Amino acid sequence: MKFLDHLTFGQYIPADSFVHNADPRGKILGTIILLTGVFLVKHPSAFCIWALFLLGVILMSRLSIRLVMGSAKPVMILVLFTAFIHFLFTGGEPLFKLGFVKITYEGLRMGVYMGLRLLFLVLFASILTLTTSPMELADGLESLFSPLKPFGFPAHELAMMMTIALRFIPTLLDETDRIMKAQLARGADLDKGNIWNRLKAFIPVLIPLFVIVFQRAEDLAIAMEARCYKGGKGRTRMHPLAWKYKDTIGLVITISAVALLSFLDRRLWL
Amino acid sequence: MPEDVVFSLRDVYFKYPGSDEAALKGIDLEVQAGEWVALVGSNGSGKSTLARILNALLIPTQGACFILDMDSKESENIWAIRSKVAMVFQNPDNQIVASVVEDDTAFGPENLGLCPSDICEKVTWSLDATGLTEYRNKATYALSGGQKQRLAVAGALAMTPPVIVLDEPTAMLDPQGRKDLLNVLSELHMQGMTIVYISHRIEEILSCDRVIVMNEGNVSWDGTPRDLFEFGKGIEKWGLEVPPIVRLWSMLKNAGIISKEVQPTKDGVVHALCP
């Protein structure tokens, strides 16, 4: 499992906490609302309040702060890049000029804000995946999308695809590792030369991987049929989702916080 | 048909679409309830095809196949047959659906539409029967090959079927994994479950009640493992290899060192030599 060691983002960490035990539907809706809230505010103090809110959620979920912050590491480059682009390409009052590079006060502000928003997005989303098992997440999404079923929306199929995809990530990473080693043993050069050569060198890895994936898909379909799988119709759950009053309270607090903060941000501070 | 007949096949032919030659050529077979039947044969002898016929995953192109008194040709019987005849395949990695052990075990009963408490009870029972209770909340990818295959058996057992068909379940396992799986099966057999066990490892069939040798889509031989080994090297014509312990057993028997009643197993031979 060499590849798996680098995969920290989105891994479920089981624990007994309010956030862990909350209904996945509430958590998904809450996360979407929170992310909207983060993108609605424009004032520095609003960002500080969001940071405090984030800290509160982390403490309630009994996850270590370092672990949650660590999950943002893989996207830090994207965050910095976004901020940098805003520094350079936002018009307005120039703060200083260096040759043709012009940094403006607005650019600096927008860059910092966009970077912070992206960071909040990743952190809130990773709290969701750190505290919700893949199965619960899939069940929650299926349940949330089920009102669209009469219009032909494949809610169950999407949830099943997600469950299977998550289940096969470690298996396929393992498989890729094995194929790469087999090709290296035959003298393949996978990490030398320019990008084009490296991409070309990867073809002997991708083709066997695709063949194996299709074979596995075929085998899995037969095995699922043998276990009486005939789609979502008539299927029950060992742990059916149960909405509790705590979930309502959590969701109401989240919605109120977002509404209040966006209102204050617009009316009072600006 | 008497009630204790589990499988009744009459003149069953099966041809894969696009293939010229039939994979099964007129199989006549009856399996009684509670029997442990081993299906052996070389690659391409039709044993996996026959296994899929027994679970209604394939429907005979000709002939009749009755499974627990249900005709597999009638499409309304298919799901009832699959819930009664569970199936375990060769590669454990390709039959595990969920990321967590208990979720995967629950997949079958969930498909049958049982109520949550029933599902939970069946999951607990099947994990216990396969010795996986302590792994209930573990990730499936973290299990060893042998544990994964036992999980596949647990997933099949969770539907509480009276019959289980296993298609070369030990092909990808190490000796310990193989031993553990065979122990689980003999425990189930003692509880009265009908087992159809496909293998090309002939040493694994010693504890079965009955052996069916398949060759080129036909049943070439049907009898007890002991009678099969009386053929000695004769079984090589069906692409089978005589296991070392059986070769030793027949040499000792022919030399008059052990009596004819001794079983061709490791325990039997050791006991006969050092009583």
Side-chain angles (χ1 to χ4, degrees):
Chain A
M1 287 296 147
K2 260 193 179 163
F3 274 103
L4 213 67
D5 300 341
H6 305 287
L7 233 128
T8 47
F9 176 72
Q11 240 175 23
Y12 172 55
I13 312 279
D16 186 26
S17 78
F18 173 75
V19 185
H20 279 84
N21 298 333
D23 190 288
R25 288 167 293 186
K27 280 194 268 187
I28 296 167
L29 284 177
T31 309
I32 294 170
I33 293 165
L34 276 176
L35 296 183
T36 321
V38 169
F39 275 84
L40 280 177
V41 296
K42 290 181 183 134
H43 200 274
S45 31
F47 282 104
C48 292
I49 296 177
W50 276 130
L52 285 175
F53 198 92
L54 178 77
L55 193 72
V57 178
I58 296 175
L59 289 178
M60 267 201 300
S61 66
R62 293 195 187 165
L63 294 169
S64 84
I65 296 175
R66 234 175 104 177
L67 183 93
V68 179
M69 294 298 164
S71 65
K73 242 189 237 162
V75 285
M76 264 333 265
I77 291 183
L78 187 73
V79 170
L80 292 176
F81 181 74
T82 312
F84 194 66
I85 291 286
H86 278 92
F87 288 160
L88 292 183
F89 299 107
T90 313
E93 192 82 7
L95 213 60
F96 64 88
K97 247 176 158 178
L98 198 80
F100 67 94
V101 179
K102 187 179 76 179
I103 303 277
T104 65
Y105 172 70
E106 283 81 6
L108 208 60
R109 204 178 66 157
M110 275 302 284
V112 171
Y113 285 4
M114 279 317 282
L116 277 175
R117 281 175 184 149
L118 273 180
L119 196 65
F120 276 124
L121 188 143
V122 174
L123 291 174
F124 276 122
S126 59
I127 292 178
L128 174 70
T129 52
L130 284 166
T131 61
T132 319
S133 77
M135 206 71 176
E136 277 183 312
L137 213 53
D139 281 358
L141 284 172
E142 182 179 349
S143 170
L144 285 175
F145 284 121
S146 58
L148 297 175
K149 269 185 194 166
F151 306 104
F153 187 81
H156 168 75
E157 287 74 8
L158 280 179
M160 186 51 80
M161 270 161 63
M162 192 182 138
T163 311
I164 293 173
L166 285 167
R167 139 81 184 91
F168 274 91
I169 287 174
T171 314
L172 293 180
L173 286 176
D174 222 20
E175 200 82 71
T176 316
D177 205 30
R178 201 169 14 237
I179 297 171
M180 275 169 70
K181 279 184 187 139
Q183 302 295 34
L184 285 171
R186 293 173 194 179
D189 223 348
L190 296 176
D191 48 7
K192 287 219 180 90
N194 57 27
I195 287 208
W196 177 240
N197 283 341
R198 282 194 209 186
L199 279 176
K200 265 203 312 205
F202 228 73
I203 292 174
V205 175
L206 284 180
I207 290 176
L209 188 66
F210 265 86
V211 173
I212 288 167
V213 167
F214 281 113
Q215 185 56 49
R216 279 189 190 278
E218 175 89 26
D219 283 0
L220 183 72
I222 294 173
M224 284 167 75
E225 249 186 77
R227 284 165 82 181
C228 295
Y229 180 70
K230 40 187 186 274
K233 221 174 158 190
R235 214 174 118 76
T236 47
R237 287 294 151 87
M238 177 163 62
H239 301 301
L241 297 178
W243 188 271
K244 293 182 281 284
Y245 76 97
K246 280 184 191 166
D247 298 307
T248 315
I249 294 173
L251 199 59
V252 167
I253 291 177
T254 311
I255 294 173
S256 317
V258 169
L260 191 73
L261 212 57
S262 337
F263 177 77
L264 289 177
D265 187 75
R266 256 155 224 273
R267 289 293 152 101
L268 299 177
W269 292 332
L270 283 179
Chain B
M1 189 164 62
E3 256 189 27
D4 52 357
V5 174
V6 175
F7 298 114
S8 170
L9 278 70
R10 283 179 225 139
D11 201 25
V12 165
Y13 279 80
F14 184 83
K15 205 162 131 181
Y16 284 100
S19 149
D20 294 332
E21 211 186 337
L24 297 179
K25 301 166 187 161
I27 305 272
D28 283 299
L29 185 69
E30 255 189 23
V31 174
Q32 309 291 320
E35 265 189 304
W36 183 348
V37 180
L39 270 178
V40 295
S42 55
N43 285 342
S45 59
K47 49 193 197 315
S48 288
T49 310
L50 182 58
R52 283 165 171 74
I53 294 261
L54 298 180
N55 182 266
L57 281 170
L58 297 176
I59 308 297
T61 36
Q62 204 184 310
C65 172
F66 285 89
I67 299 156
L68 292 159
D69 235 353
M70 292 177 278
D71 188 349
S72 71
K73 275 203 174 122
E74 308 286 335
S75 56
E76 66 263 31
N77 286 340
I78 284 184
W79 298 109
I81 291 174
R82 288 188 193 159
S83 70
K84 296 268 190 287
V85 182
M87 181 111 192
V88 176
F89 298 87
Q90 193 184 82
N91 188 344
D93 260 328
N94 293 357
Q95 43 190 326
I96 293 170
V97 183
S99 313
V100 179
V101 169
E102 76 164 1
D103 290 337
D104 186 72
T105 316
F107 183 73
E110 284 179 339
N111 289 334
L112 297 179
L114 303 176
C115 72
S117 59
D118 268 2
I119 298 177
C120 212
E121 201 177 295
K122 283 170 194 279
V123 167
T124 308
W125 172 77
S126 59
L127 287 178
D128 184 48
T130 47
L132 288 172
T133 306
E134 57 180 307
Y135 301 98
R136 188 172 179 139
N137 294 312
K138 289 267 164 22
T140 47
Y141 74 79
L143 300 180
S144 72
Q147 289 166 339
K148 278 183 189 167
Q149 195 58 294
R150 276 190 283 147
L151 173 60
V153 175
L157 286 182
M159 296 192 288
T160 46
V163 189
I164 185 165
V165 178
L166 303 103
D167 187 0
E168 297 195 30
T170 56
M172 304 181 91
L173 305 188
D174 58 7
Q176 187 57 44
R178 210 177 301 153
K179 211 170 136 192
D180 291 345
L181 184 71
L182 286 168
N183 285 342
V184 168
L185 292 180
S186 44
E187 193 66 38
L188 291 170
H189 177 57
M190 279 201 279
Q191 289 169 22
M193 188 172 267
T194 312
I195 301 174
V196 176
Y197 185 88
I198 296 172
S199 179
H200 57 225
R201 273 180 223 276
I202 204 134
E203 63 271 22
E204 287 178 359
I205 65 168
L206 294 167
S207 42
C208 301
D209 301 328
R210 177 178 166 198
V211 185
I212 294 168
V213 180
M214 300 273 302
N215 192 29
E216 292 177 355
N218 282 305
V219 172
S220 299
W221 192 84
D222 188 345
T224 63
R226 199 198 149 98
D227 289 343
L228 179 70
F229 296 136
E230 293 288 354
F231 279 98
K233 282 198 155 198
I235 65 170
E236 283 173 5
K237 67 174 181 245
W238 297 314
L240 303 172
E241 202 187 350
V242 188
I245 187 66
V246 175
R247 250 181 285 163
L248 177 68
W249 167 80
S250 64
M251 278 191 284
L252 291 171
K253 193 165 56 90
N254 293 341
I257 298 171
I258 58 173
S259 74
K260 278 184 179 171
E261 283 73 43
V262 174
Q263 290 294 320
T265 59
K266 206 160 56 182
D267 286 348
V269 173
V270 170
H271 264 282
L273 292 176
C274 331

